[in-house]
Amino acid sequence: AEYMGAPPTTASRLDWQSLSPIQIASQITLIESRFYVAIGPSECFGLKWSKGDGAGAPFIARMISLFNRVSRWVVTEILKQPKIAKRAAALAYFVDVAEQFMVLKNFNGLLAVLAALSSAEIHRLKKTWVKLPEDRASVLSSLRVLISREHNYKTMREALRQATPPLLPYLGMYLTDFTFASDGNTDFLTEDKTVVSFAKHSMLGKIYRQMQTAKGTSYEIREDTSIVRFIEHEMDSLSNEEAYALSLLRESRA
């Protein structure tokens, strides 16, 4: 199926089905990359993004929020389709979006879409998955291998090492690294806190430098204000509970 079409230039609500997968993927990538390059070292140390409202790590918080919003939107739009054929077409569309994220070397956007496709409310739609074209199922399978959590994201880390900028890593991988380094090592080597653990700070610095390697070259993507507005303000989003209830309505338990 073709999902091409020029986005409207009016202020009316955008119909995502009029956009090609590359249009969606590129504009999400543009927004995410702006947040990513703005993340400074002060946001990464002390696990500030996990405390309170994340105000101490504003750009990490924005990336997390966008990741979750995109993921919930994918779930919502698939479930909004009442007929199996339409749901399968939506499923194929979002596999295409995931593939375009990979073309753009945007691992963060890729993970957001695959998280949605692996969610309980989408995973259980067996009648829909059966209708997914074989070539799309093959693409999805290879993408899942790439972003596997096995061995601490070994496959994805290797792909990142080999990729040339512009690229966008999966932020959650680095946040996990920061968390393990922070929680698993003390700040001080003595009880009176007079001897600082340079090993811990060196470890945190190494993780941050790994993040920095992706900031060398920016994406040459022209901003489309109507699509950006849609991504930031107009994406439909069901809660987990609402989505699961709708999933059961679409395909009841066997």
Side-chain angles (χ1 to χ4, degrees), residues 141-180:
S141 179
S142 64
L143 292 175
R144 281 176 167 161
V145 170
L146 175 67
I147 57 89
S148 170
R149 292 173 180 264
E150 286 189 7
H151 306 296
N152 194 20
Y153 297 107
K154 181 181 179 181
T155 305
M156 184 162 58
R157 289 180 194 274
E158 185 57 36
L160 276 168
R161 275 193 290 270
Q162 294 181 8
T164 54
L167 58 91
L168 198 58
Y170 171 44
L171 180 62
M173 180 179 71
Y174 292 130
L175 298 185
T176 300
D177 291 346
F178 280 124
T179 301
F180 275 119

Side-chain angles (χ1 to χ4, degrees), residues 64-82:
I64 292 172
S65 176
L66 180 57
F67 181 100
N68 292 336
R69 200 160 69 247
V70 169
S71 195
R72 295 314 304 168
W73 170 66
V74 172
V75 168
T76 299
E77 294 301 344
I78 293 170
L79 291 175
K80 278 168 62 178
Q81 311 304 321

Side-chain angles (χ1 to χ4, degrees), residues 44 86 153 158 198 215 225 242 245 254:
C44 301
K86 290 282 188 180
Y153 297 107
E158 185 57 36
F198 288 106
K215 295 183 179 182
T225 54
E242 291 170 332

Side-chain angles (χ1 to χ4, degrees), residues 114-126:
L114 294 196
L117 301 185
S118 299
S119 66
E121 50 267 50
I122 299 301
H123 178 73
R124 62 172 300 280
L125 299 174
K126 292 181 171 56

